[in-house]
Amino acid sequence: MRSTRGRPVRGGAAAPPKWRRWALPLVLAAVTVLALVLYFTPLLGVRSVEVVGNTSLDHDEVVRASGIETGTPMLQVDAAEIRDRLQAVPKIAAAEVVLSWPSAVQVRVTERVPAAFLVARNGIELVDATGMPFQTVPEPPADLPELKVREASQTDPATRAGMLVLTSVPQPVRAEITAVLAENPNDIRLLLKGDRQIEWGSQEEAEKKAAILPALLTRPGKVFDVTTPALPTVS
């Protein structure tokens, strides 16, 4: 065994400087304070709200519906909650909220487009392509067909079927339609200008039925039956 006589014996590792013991807690405390300041004060608060995609709704209407208030700390802005509030507005079909740091919020909305109207208890209501009634108007729009169903809603099978048929026909044919009759999803009729009508039947084979209509409507007659698209008839 080699002797260590005359040699200095090394001790344990040197203790770290005292400031290192406090560095991490101080950094954590500073980060916590900064987070609290940013979360609870308007230091990084909302300064502007941009609205994109609105046509019939004005900027202030959308901002009020969103519930966004100027000065609200950006960390408190809940994009999902704002989106849900906006999509609860009947005229808005979809919404998206984007936070633009450090102080701006962009709201993108997709408004419902009227595809038909219906006569309801409370007046004339516009209906979009999904069958959603979303706006009451004083007079029936001259360029839209009437939707005749027992109770219009997005969950009503007859409403969905009627709107599917309406939106599946070519635009020149759609312009001739004055009313969509859909008491049940298997018995749909389209009333046309000139006291004519299309017997559509169910919503099955909608593409085939829609494809044969333009040529079929050039033939003289009042009733155009496409319930069986392989054997259409005119009477």
Side-chain angles (χ1 to χ4, degrees):
M1 177 179 298
R2 182 176 298 179
S3 173
T4 58
R5 184 179 301 174
R7 297 180 182 179
V9 178
R10 294 183 179 180
K18 290 184 178 181
W19 66 268
R20 289 188 180 179
R21 301 178 185 177
W22 297 101
L24 182 59
L26 287 174
V27 169
L28 293 176
V31 170
T32 301
V33 170
L34 179 61
L36 291 174
V37 168
L38 295 179
Y39 189 84
F40 289 107
T41 71
L43 182 63
L44 280 185
V46 176
R47 296 287 181 267
S48 64
V49 180
E50 180 187 9
V51 178
V52 179
N54 58 311
T55 54
S56 63
L57 293 168
D58 64 34
H59 176 276
D60 292 341
E61 284 182 291
V62 176
V63 173
R64 282 195 300 270
S66 72
I68 303 171
E69 296 184 1
T70 302
T72 300
M74 290 286 284
L75 289 176
Q76 292 187 27
V77 177
D78 189 328
E81 183 178 322
I82 295 170
R83 180 199 62 214
D84 292 344
R85 283 199 294 265
L86 289 169
Q87 292 183 168
V89 177
K91 286 186 179 182
I92 297 177
E96 182 182 358
V97 180
V98 179
L99 304 185
S100 299
W101 294 88
S103 60
V105 179
Q106 185 184 77
V107 175
R108 303 170 185 170
V109 297
T110 302
E111 294 187 8
R112 298 189 186 277
V113 178
F117 72 89
L118 63 90
V119 180
R121 296 185 184 91
N122 60 332
I124 308 299
E125 292 189 342
L126 301 181
V127 182
D128 74 352
T130 69
M132 174 70 175
F134 65 93
Q135 183 180 359
T136 302
V137 294
E139 299 291 338
D143 59 340
L144 294 180
E146 180 180 359
L147 174 64
K148 293 187 177 183
V149 292
R150 293 179 180 177
E151 186 175 355
S153 76
Q154 288 179 305
T155 59
D156 174 50
T159 300
R160 293 203 307 268
M163 296 309 298
L164 172 66
V165 171
L166 176 62
T167 55
S168 67
V169 299
Q171 182 56 43
V173 177
R174 195 181 312 172
E176 294 291 313
I177 299 174
T178 60
V180 179
L181 282 60
E183 290 195 0
N184 69 72
N186 296 315
D187 183 19
I188 300 169
R189 288 180 293 155
L190 306 175
L191 303 187
L192 306 176
K193 296 175 182 178
D195 194 28
R196 299 171 299 158
Q197 71 178 40
I198 298 170
E199 295 287 345
W200 188 278
S202 72
Q203 57 185 318
E204 295 180 1
E205 298 185 287
E207 291 185 4
K208 292 182 180 179
K209 295 176 182 181
I212 65 176
L213 273 177
L216 195 67
L217 290 175
T218 62
R219 297 171 60 180
K222 292 292 185 180
V223 179
F224 303 83
D225 192 330
V226 294
T227 54
T228 304
L231 295 170
T233 62
V234 180
S235 59

